[in-house]
Amino acid sequence: MEAPDSTAKTPDDVYTHGHHESVVRAHAARTAENSAAFLLPHLAPGLTVLDVGCGPGSITCDFARLVDPGRVTGLDRSEDVVAQARALAEERGVANASFMAGNVYDLELDDETFDVVHAHQVLQHLTDPVAALREMRRVAKPGGLVAVRDADFHGMSWYPELDELDEWMDLYQRIARHNGAEPDAGRRLVGWMQEAGFTDVSPSSSNWLYATPQQRAWQARVWSERVLHSAFAEQALEYGFAEQAGLERIAAGWHRWGSSADGWFLIPNGEVIGRA
């Protein structure tokens, strides 16, 4: 395996979502079962796992339970979010998980350290996802697994069809692409893995669906808050892609969708497991 180029410049990526409370709260609702089911058959007691972009640690702590007495390391670039992940592990009594701040392009970890390297909803926010995959491959043991899952924004569908949600999708695409990111990452995972040097690649797909009254209320609340208060809102205004009145209209549209008795919102996710 080739050593990383120590002279290469590390990209300075802009995170489209940011770490507003509404974003972190949504990420904390993710579990290994609802967000990493494609990987679960490959986990077993005693394995070592690196969870890249671990966020508040909910998936990481689930992994720790599944591989105990193996060790799990959660990594995120935000020190504040890492602190929340540590607090969650302590609250759950998870003793075999540790957390660190770090950069996916330049992991301060030894070569061939982990049996499994996992990243959930990370590659879509990067300007160079292939470089990140190569770095993830570097820290995986020979024969180990690199598992990634990302949403595909243009693959999302909803009902009722509302102009405000069309505006939201257009605005999200513009902001993410202005940041050099790829919001339709799910459909590109196989290609990125191949470009990163993986020859043994297993693709799959799974959905998140919001269609019950409770699910609709949750999704509508989360996104209406993000549209108005998160880095998404800040960037929309800073880049000149929207005005405050437009953001308020989109947020109201999310609430209108959430109150629709027949509301439906489907998020498709691409999933790939590559063997190092």
Side-chain angles (χ1 to χ4, degrees):
M1 186 179 299
E2 295 182 2
D5 181 359
S6 60
T7 65
K9 184 178 184 298
T10 299
D12 185 18
D13 294 340
V14 176
Y15 185 26
T16 302
H17 294 303
H19 295 98
H20 183 265
E21 186 273 337
S22 60
V23 176
V24 177
R25 176 168 19 99
H27 294 175
R30 296 171 179 171
T31 68
E33 287 73 21
N34 68 29
S35 297
F38 74 112
L39 179 58
L40 298 190
H42 302 277
L43 299 182
L47 295 182
T48 54
V49 179
L50 173 65
D51 190 15
V52 176
C54 66
S58 54
I59 296 175
T60 322
C61 287
D62 285 348
F63 286 164
R65 171 177 51 84
L66 293 167
V67 303
D68 188 38
R71 300 286 306 179
V72 177
T73 301
L75 179 142
D76 200 280
R77 74 176 193 174
S78 168
E79 292 275 9
D80 290 342
V81 172
V82 166
Q84 293 183 50
R86 290 192 183 111
L88 179 65
E90 183 176 356
E91 175 186 325
R92 292 189 182 181
V94 176
N96 62 325
S98 60
F99 297 89
M100 59 185 290
N103 187 324
V104 66
Y105 297 115
D106 186 18
L107 298 170
E108 295 181 1
L109 298 163
D110 293 337
D111 293 359
E112 302 178 357
T113 299
F114 298 94
D115 296 300
V116 177
V117 182
H118 167 265
H120 184 262
Q121 311 297 341
V122 172
L123 298 186
Q124 64 183 280
H125 299 295
L126 306 181
T127 55
D128 195 345
V130 174
L133 283 169
R134 288 180 179 137
E135 182 69 349
M136 293 166 67
R137 183 169 179 253
R138 177 185 69 79
V139 300
K141 295 178 181 179
L145 303 181
V146 174
V148 294
R149 184 176 191 255
D150 273 274
D152 190 307
F153 271 72
H154 265 142
M156 295 180 187
S157 60
W158 55 85
Y159 184 85
E161 298 177 1
L162 300 176
D163 290 343
E164 295 90 341
L165 294 194
D166 290 338
E167 291 180 45
W168 164 79
M169 174 60 73
D170 178 69
L171 183 57
Y172 187 91
Q173 291 277 342
R174 293 178 69 194
I175 293 171
R177 295 185 187 284
H178 185 275
N179 290 337
E182 177 48 74
D184 301 337
R187 67 188 70 182
R188 291 171 166 80
L189 295 182
V190 170
W192 288 343
M193 292 285 278
Q194 292 171 340
E195 192 175 345
F198 291 87
T199 57
D200 184 351
V201 176
S202 300
S204 59
S205 178
S206 62
N207 300 324
W208 282 321
L209 175 64
Y210 303 89
T212 68
Q214 182 180 7
Q215 291 167 344
R216 286 195 302 271
W218 186 88
Q219 176 77 337
R221 182 175 67 254
V222 163
W223 263 109
S224 63
E225 291 179 11
R226 288 160 81 161
V227 165
L228 292 175
H229 304 298
S230 73
F232 172 92
E234 296 168 0
Q235 292 166 25
L237 298 172
E238 178 186 347
Y239 300 161
F241 294 162
E243 297 181 351
Q244 186 63 35
L247 296 179
E248 292 173 359
R249 181 176 61 254
I250 292 172
W254 270 108
H255 283 300
R256 189 152 64 95
W257 169 82
S259 63
S260 300
D262 56 353
W264 170 284
F265 200 101
L266 184 73
I267 301 178
N269 291 276
E271 306 159 344
V272 176
I273 294 177
R275 191 169 295 277

